[in-house]
Amino acid sequence: MKHFTLFSLFLLLAGAASAGGRGWKDHEWPYEFLFGNHIDTHQETRLLNDGTLEGFFYVYWTGDLSPDGLPVAAHCTKSEHYEAGCFAAWHIAARPCIEEINGCEAMFLYHNQDHPVWLVGPRIDADGNLRGTRGQIVQPGSFTHMHWLTEGASHEGTFLPSSLEAVEALFGVDINVPKQCNVSMAKALTAGVVCPGYFLEIRATEKFAFKHGGELIPVVSGTDNRTHLNLVTSIPAAE
């Protein structure tokens, strides 16, 4: 009876989210902004007149329950996920971290199954050590995720276009994108490269368990600083 109750709860929550939440529109206007990499399989955002982004992160129900009895969801990335029904589980607000626009820089450090880790405001201190700074994280808000922009990148034989030119046109700048940034997957990034991108503030719209990076992460509605955190502002000194 317990298993039946949990499964019934899953069906209830899944049905409510699928029916009430925004469904995947495949970057249909106006949510047509593209980063030019793998994130575009599960994000839809629009570029606003002030250069910020607004949009959604999408997931699908895996059919599993977490140990706490929460329905498990994961990001949509494949055709079968869209066929199963992808829906918006987070609202996104984003601001640029682009040197030519606001002097902001983020350096890629490493990627280990989870979200790639970025050092904000990389600089060399008086002792010759690499440092970061909190001062470049935009305020007000709760921006805990950095994602990079490309000029367009290839992924499994398909070219992923980018909205970089739209950002350049809006601000009237020429944004430098090192060639090492023009990759579709985080695991292909080169340690030490500084890429233009956006800081994301993420607000959950559902209660569920998020499957990512080998973890099941409980999510509740509201500001979410847990599931996509990937910023650091310091790094160990070189030996």
Side-chain angles (χ1 to χ4, degrees), residues 10-27:
F10 164 72
L11 291 177
L12 178 64
L13 290 173
S18 299
R22 174 187 166 88
W24 175 257
K25 306 292 185 183
D26 197 20
H27 302 288

Side-chain angles (χ1 to χ4, degrees), residues 156-209:
E156 297 179 351
T158 300
F159 182 75
L160 304 179
S162 165
S163 297
L164 180 75
E165 290 184 358
V167 179
E168 291 178 322
L170 182 62
F171 286 98
V173 297
D174 184 12
I175 299 171
N176 176 48
V177 183
K179 64 180 182 179
Q180 297 94 329
C181 300
N182 290 319
V183 295
S184 65
M185 302 292 287
K187 63 184 179 181
L189 287 165
T190 302
V193 66
V194 174
C195 299
Y198 273 81
F199 288 134
L200 275 58
E201 178 183 67
I202 303 165
R203 180 171 52 83
T205 60
E206 306 289 339
K207 183 177 181 180
F208 60 99

Side-chain angles (χ1 to χ4, degrees), residues 16-36:
S18 299
R22 174 187 166 88
W24 175 257
K25 306 292 185 183
D26 197 20
H27 302 288
E28 179 181 291
W29 186 89
Y31 293 95
E32 56 186 354
F33 185 88
L34 298 171
F35 285 82

Side-chain angles (χ1 to χ4, degrees), residues 73-128:
H75 276 316
C76 307
T77 59
K78 302 177 181 179
S79 58
E80 55 262 36
H81 301 161
Y82 305 115
E83 293 168 2
C86 291
F87 64 95
W90 289 275
H91 178 265
I92 298 170
R95 299 186 187 181
C97 178
I98 300 175
E99 184 179 13
E100 292 83 359
I101 293 174
N102 56 6
C104 181
E105 294 181 301
M107 174 186 287
F108 171 69
L109 296 181
Y110 63 87
H111 174 256
N112 184 21
Q113 303 303 318
D114 204 349
H115 297 103
V117 175
W118 299 84
L119 177 67
V120 181
R123 58 189 175 87
I124 302 297
D125 66 15
D127 297 321

